[in-house]
Tab-separated table of all heavy atoms in Angstrom:
chain	number	residue	atom	x	y	z
A	886	VAL	N	1.263	-4.010	-25.314
A	886	VAL	CA	1.100	-5.348	-24.718
A	886	VAL	C	0.888	-5.272	-23.208
A	886	VAL	O	1.306	-4.303	-22.570
A	886	VAL	CB	2.353	-6.210	-25.046
A	886	VAL	CG1	3.583	-5.740	-24.278
A	886	VAL	CG2	2.105	-7.700	-24.784
A	887	GLY	N	0.218	-6.284	-22.680
A	887	GLY	CA	0.099	-6.416	-21.213
A	887	GLY	C	-0.994	-5.536	-20.622
A	887	GLY	O	-2.091	-5.409	-21.177
A	888	GLY	N	-0.635	-4.903	-19.488
A	888	GLY	CA	-1.620	-4.151	-18.699
A	888	GLY	C	-2.383	-3.088	-19.485
A	888	GLY	O	-3.571	-2.879	-19.257
A	889	CYS	N	-1.698	-2.428	-20.445
A	889	CYS	CA	-2.384	-1.340	-21.161
A	889	CYS	C	-3.480	-1.893	-22.076
A	889	CYS	O	-4.540	-1.272	-22.232
A	889	CYS	CB	-1.384	-0.483	-21.940
A	889	CYS	SG	-0.373	-1.366	-23.129
A	891	ARG	N	-5.081	-4.825	-21.531
A	891	ARG	CA	-6.103	-5.301	-20.582
A	891	ARG	C	-6.984	-4.144	-20.106
A	891	ARG	O	-8.212	-4.216	-20.173
A	891	ARG	CB	-5.384	-5.949	-19.390
A	891	ARG	CG	-6.297	-6.469	-18.290
A	891	ARG	CD	-5.498	-6.720	-17.012
A	891	ARG	NE	-5.070	-5.456	-16.423
A	891	ARG	CZ	-3.858	-5.218	-15.920
A	891	ARG	NH1	-2.933	-6.158	-15.908
A	891	ARG	NH2	-3.548	-4.037	-15.430
A	892	ASP	N	-6.345	-3.058	-19.681
A	892	ASP	CA	-7.126	-1.952	-19.125
A	892	ASP	C	-7.946	-1.250	-20.207
A	892	ASP	O	-9.094	-0.863	-19.963
A	892	ASP	CB	-6.212	-0.973	-18.386
A	892	ASP	CG	-5.710	-1.563	-17.068
A	892	ASP	OD1	-6.297	-2.562	-16.605
A	892	ASP	OD2	-4.730	-1.037	-16.504
A	900	HIS	N	-2.495	3.364	-17.092
A	900	HIS	CA	-1.610	4.322	-16.433
A	900	HIS	C	-0.243	4.355	-17.092
A	900	HIS	O	0.523	5.294	-16.907
A	900	HIS	CB	-1.516	4.073	-14.924
A	900	HIS	CG	-0.987	2.713	-14.584
A	900	HIS	ND1	0.350	2.458	-14.488
A	900	HIS	CD2	-1.621	1.535	-14.366
A	900	HIS	CE1	0.525	1.177	-14.207
A	900	HIS	NE2	-0.654	0.603	-14.128
A	901	ASP	N	0.091	3.312	-17.852
A	901	ASP	CA	1.280	3.403	-18.710
A	901	ASP	C	1.142	2.420	-19.871
A	901	ASP	O	0.262	1.558	-19.861
A	901	ASP	CB	2.586	3.175	-17.929
A	901	ASP	CG	2.588	1.864	-17.174
A	901	ASP	OD1	1.744	0.993	-17.482
A	901	ASP	OD2	3.441	1.691	-16.287
A	903	ASP	N	3.190	-0.291	-22.399
A	903	ASP	CA	4.391	-1.093	-22.656
A	903	ASP	C	4.276	-1.675	-24.065
A	903	ASP	O	3.164	-1.911	-24.556
A	903	ASP	CB	4.493	-2.250	-21.652
A	903	ASP	CG	4.672	-1.748	-20.228
A	903	ASP	OD1	5.397	-0.762	-20.036
A	903	ASP	OD2	4.065	-2.336	-19.309
A	949	ASP	N	11.736	-16.691	-21.802
A	949	ASP	CA	12.471	-16.661	-20.537
A	949	ASP	C	12.958	-18.046	-20.146
A	949	ASP	O	12.255	-19.033	-20.335
A	949	ASP	CB	11.585	-16.121	-19.405
A	949	ASP	CG	11.228	-14.661	-19.649
A	949	ASP	OD1	11.852	-14.038	-20.525
A	949	ASP	OD2	10.326	-14.154	-18.960
A	952	TYR	N	14.124	-19.192	-13.280
A	952	TYR	CA	14.318	-18.022	-12.424
A	952	TYR	C	14.992	-18.489	-11.143
A	952	TYR	O	14.385	-18.495	-10.089
A	952	TYR	CB	12.966	-17.421	-12.023
A	952	TYR	CG	12.265	-16.560	-13.046
A	952	TYR	CD1	11.742	-17.114	-14.207
A	952	TYR	CD2	12.090	-15.196	-12.822
A	952	TYR	CE1	11.059	-16.331	-15.122
A	952	TYR	CE2	11.402	-14.410	-13.733
A	952	TYR	CZ	10.896	-14.983	-14.880
A	952	TYR	OH	10.211	-14.209	-15.767
A	973	ARG	N	5.289	-16.329	-22.564
A	973	ARG	CA	6.055	-16.181	-21.318
A	973	ARG	C	5.305	-15.338	-20.292
A	973	ARG	O	5.718	-15.213	-19.144
A	973	ARG	CB	7.409	-15.532	-21.600
A	973	ARG	CG	7.299	-14.024	-21.842
A	973	ARG	CD	8.639	-13.326	-21.845
A	973	ARG	NE	8.543	-11.950	-22.292
A	973	ARG	CZ	8.357	-10.902	-21.483
A	973	ARG	NH1	8.222	-11.076	-20.197
A	973	ARG	NH2	8.302	-9.680	-21.990
A	974	ARG	N	4.209	-14.732	-20.681
A	974	ARG	CA	3.495	-13.807	-19.779
A	974	ARG	C	2.671	-14.577	-18.747
A	974	ARG	O	2.353	-15.739	-18.927
A	974	ARG	CB	2.664	-12.822	-20.595
A	974	ARG	CG	3.597	-11.927	-21.378
A	974	ARG	CD	2.965	-10.891	-22.217
A	974	ARG	NE	4.036	-10.170	-22.902
A	974	ARG	CZ	4.633	-9.073	-22.429
A	974	ARG	NH1	4.248	-8.541	-21.295
A	974	ARG	NH2	5.615	-8.511	-23.107
A	975	ASP	N	2.333	-13.900	-17.661
A	975	ASP	CA	1.769	-14.634	-16.521
A	975	ASP	C	0.327	-15.101	-16.696
A	975	ASP	O	0.041	-16.291	-16.598
A	975	ASP	CB	1.950	-13.840	-15.206
A	975	ASP	CG	1.546	-12.372	-15.296
A	975	ASP	OD1	0.980	-11.965	-16.329
A	975	ASP	OD2	1.786	-11.629	-14.318
A	976	PHE	N	-0.576	-14.174	-16.971
A	976	PHE	CA	-2.003	-14.534	-17.006
A	976	PHE	C	-2.630	-14.179	-18.360
A	976	PHE	O	-2.159	-13.256	-19.027
A	976	PHE	CB	-2.752	-13.840	-15.859
A	976	PHE	CG	-2.094	-14.103	-14.530
A	976	PHE	CD1	-1.434	-13.098	-13.839
A	976	PHE	CD2	-2.071	-15.400	-14.015
A	976	PHE	CE1	-0.782	-13.359	-12.638
A	976	PHE	CE2	-1.414	-15.674	-12.823
A	976	PHE	CZ	-0.771	-14.655	-12.134
A	979	ASN	N	-3.282	-10.724	-19.233
A	979	ASN	CA	-2.085	-9.885	-19.402
A	979	ASN	C	-1.295	-10.285	-20.644
A	979	ASN	O	-0.191	-9.799	-20.853
A	979	ASN	CB	-1.145	-10.039	-18.192
A	979	ASN	CG	-1.698	-9.385	-16.955
A	979	ASN	OD1	-2.605	-8.570	-17.043
A	979	ASN	ND2	-1.145	-9.738	-15.801
A	980	ALA	N	-1.820	-11.209	-21.421
A	980	ALA	CA	-1.044	-11.777	-22.534
A	980	ALA	C	-1.640	-11.408	-23.893
A	980	ALA	O	-1.562	-12.171	-24.839
A	980	ALA	CB	-0.945	-13.299	-22.381
A	1013	ARG	N	4.261	-22.695	-14.331
A	1013	ARG	CA	4.449	-21.236	-14.366
A	1013	ARG	C	4.809	-20.678	-12.991
A	1013	ARG	O	5.585	-19.745	-12.871
A	1013	ARG	CB	3.195	-20.538	-14.917
A	1013	ARG	CG	2.768	-20.964	-16.321
A	1013	ARG	CD	3.888	-21.006	-17.342
A	1013	ARG	NE	4.710	-19.812	-17.418
A	1013	ARG	CZ	4.374	-18.674	-18.004
A	1013	ARG	NH1	3.204	-18.549	-18.573
A	1013	ARG	NH2	5.207	-17.646	-18.023
A	1017	ASP	N	8.507	-18.878	-11.589
A	1017	ASP	CA	8.584	-17.601	-10.858
A	1017	ASP	C	7.427	-17.556	-9.863
A	1017	ASP	O	6.280	-17.296	-10.232
A	1017	ASP	CB	8.487	-16.418	-11.832
A	1017	ASP	CG	8.520	-15.077	-11.104
A	1017	ASP	OD1	8.821	-15.066	-9.887
A	1017	ASP	OD2	8.255	-14.042	-11.742
A	1019	LEU	N	6.684	-15.472	-7.688
A	1019	LEU	CA	6.021	-14.182	-7.458
A	1019	LEU	C	4.654	-14.149	-8.140
A	1019	LEU	O	3.738	-13.453	-7.706
A	1019	LEU	CB	6.864	-13.007	-7.969
A	1019	LEU	CG	6.246	-11.642	-7.630
A	1019	LEU	CD1	6.361	-11.351	-6.138
A	1019	LEU	CD2	6.839	-10.509	-8.447
A	1020	ARG	N	4.541	-14.945	-9.218
A	1020	ARG	CA	3.252	-14.979	-9.943
A	1020	ARG	C	2.099	-15.383	-9.027
A	1020	ARG	O	0.958	-15.019	-9.264
A	1020	ARG	CB	3.354	-15.937	-11.131
A	1020	ARG	CG	4.262	-15.390	-12.220
A	1020	ARG	CD	4.545	-16.414	-13.309
A	1020	ARG	NE	5.561	-15.896	-14.221
A	1020	ARG	CZ	6.382	-16.646	-14.933
A	1020	ARG	NH1	6.312	-17.967	-14.855
A	1020	ARG	NH2	7.270	-16.084	-15.722
A	1023	ARG	N	1.111	-12.220	-7.564
A	1023	ARG	CA	0.534	-11.387	-8.630
A	1023	ARG	C	-0.901	-11.819	-8.940
A	1023	ARG	O	-1.763	-10.988	-9.170
A	1023	ARG	CB	1.404	-11.449	-9.897
A	1023	ARG	CG	2.669	-10.598	-9.784
A	1023	ARG	CD	3.565	-10.739	-11.013
A	1023	ARG	NE	2.957	-10.308	-12.269
A	1023	ARG	CZ	2.920	-9.045	-12.708
A	1023	ARG	NH1	3.448	-8.081	-11.986
A	1023	ARG	NH2	2.373	-8.767	-13.873
A	1026	ARG	N	-2.902	-10.339	-6.355
A	1026	ARG	CA	-2.974	-8.877	-6.562
A	1026	ARG	C	-4.012	-8.533	-7.641
A	1026	ARG	O	-4.852	-7.652	-7.458
A	1026	ARG	CB	-1.593	-8.365	-6.981
A	1026	ARG	CG	-1.511	-6.851	-7.046
A	1026	ARG	CD	-1.522	-6.306	-8.475
A	1026	ARG	NE	-0.209	-6.323	-9.092
A	1026	ARG	CZ	0.085	-5.679	-10.222
A	1026	ARG	NH1	-0.836	-4.946	-10.834
A	1026	ARG	NH2	1.283	-5.773	-10.750
A	1027	PHE	N	-3.965	-9.255	-8.761
A	1027	PHE	CA	-4.925	-8.948	-9.821
A	1027	PHE	C	-6.351	-9.319	-9.392
A	1027	PHE	O	-7.304	-8.623	-9.729
A	1027	PHE	CB	-4.535	-9.640	-11.133
A	1027	PHE	CG	-3.338	-9.003	-11.799
A	1027	PHE	CD1	-2.133	-9.676	-11.922
A	1027	PHE	CD2	-3.411	-7.695	-12.280
A	1027	PHE	CE1	-1.024	-9.074	-12.513
A	1027	PHE	CE2	-2.311	-7.082	-12.875
A	1027	PHE	CZ	-1.113	-7.776	-12.999
A	1057	ARG	N	10.244	-7.535	-4.138
A	1057	ARG	CA	9.192	-7.922	-5.099
A	1057	ARG	C	7.895	-8.250	-4.355
A	1057	ARG	O	6.819	-7.903	-4.797
A	1057	ARG	CB	9.644	-9.138	-5.928
A	1057	ARG	CG	10.835	-8.867	-6.826
A	1057	ARG	CD	11.172	-10.134	-7.633
A	1057	ARG	NE	10.381	-10.268	-8.841
A	1057	ARG	CZ	10.123	-11.435	-9.438
A	1057	ARG	NH1	10.576	-12.562	-8.920
A	1057	ARG	NH2	9.420	-11.475	-10.541
A	1061	GLU	N	4.094	-6.107	-4.683
A	1061	GLU	CA	2.815	-6.762	-5.011
A	1061	GLU	C	1.857	-6.694	-3.828
A	1061	GLU	O	0.658	-6.486	-3.997
A	1061	GLU	CB	3.039	-8.221	-5.431
A	1061	GLU	CG	3.772	-8.391	-6.759
A	1061	GLU	CD	3.027	-7.817	-7.972
A	1061	GLU	OE1	1.790	-7.691	-7.926
A	1061	GLU	OE2	3.701	-7.476	-8.961
A	1064	ARG	N	0.098	-3.365	-3.501
A	1064	ARG	CA	-0.939	-3.195	-4.526
A	1064	ARG	C	-2.149	-4.075	-4.212
A	1064	ARG	O	-3.296	-3.659	-4.392
A	1064	ARG	CB	-0.359	-3.507	-5.906
A	1064	ARG	CG	0.805	-2.554	-6.219
A	1064	ARG	CD	1.383	-2.778	-7.573
A	1064	ARG	NE	0.515	-2.188	-8.581
A	1064	ARG	CZ	0.818	-2.088	-9.859
A	1064	ARG	NH1	1.972	-2.542	-10.295
A	1064	ARG	NH2	-0.010	-1.550	-10.716
B	1496	ATP	P1	-0.365	-2.713	-13.958
B	1496	ATP	O1	-1.463	-2.039	-14.671
B	1496	ATP	O2	-0.663	-2.932	-12.552
B	1496	ATP	O3	0.982	-2.135	-14.212
B	1496	ATP	P2	0.561	-4.822	-15.601
B	1496	ATP	O4	-0.157	-5.972	-16.182
B	1496	ATP	O5	1.104	-3.792	-16.555
B	1496	ATP	O6	-0.382	-4.186	-14.546
B	1496	ATP	P3	3.267	-5.131	-14.730
B	1496	ATP	O7	3.783	-5.648	-13.431
B	1496	ATP	O8	3.544	-3.718	-15.102
B	1496	ATP	O9	1.708	-5.405	-14.690
B	1496	ATP	O10	3.795	-6.098	-15.856
B	1496	ATP	C1	3.629	-5.816	-17.259
B	1496	ATP	C2	3.345	-7.100	-18.031
B	1496	ATP	O11	4.503	-7.940	-17.974
B	1496	ATP	C3	2.208	-7.939	-17.467
B	1496	ATP	O12	0.969	-7.551	-18.005
B	1496	ATP	C4	2.612	-9.346	-17.876
B	1496	ATP	O13	2.269	-9.577	-19.225
B	1496	ATP	C5	4.124	-9.310	-17.810
B	1496	ATP	N1	4.674	-9.750	-16.507
B	1496	ATP	C6	5.048	-8.969	-15.475
B	1496	ATP	N2	5.556	-9.691	-14.462
B	1496	ATP	C7	5.528	-10.963	-14.877
B	1496	ATP	C8	5.953	-12.200	-14.297
B	1496	ATP	N3	6.479	-12.245	-13.076
B	1496	ATP	N4	5.791	-13.324	-15.028
B	1496	ATP	C9	5.256	-13.288	-16.262
B	1496	ATP	N5	4.849	-12.162	-16.869
B	1496	ATP	C10	4.981	-11.014	-16.196
Side-chain angles (χ1 to χ4, degrees):
V886 71
C889 57
R891 179 196 70 223
D892 288 344
H900 60 86
D901 55 16
D903 296 321
D949 294 347
Y952 281 69
R973 76 168 170 92
R974 293 181 181 269
D975 48 8
F976 307 110
N979 289 343
R1013 302 313 309 283
D1017 178 11
L1019 185 71
R1020 290 171 188 153
R1023 283 176 61 84
R1026 187 255 277 193
F1027 287 113
R1057 295 182 85 205
E1061 292 297 336
R1064 300 182 77 172

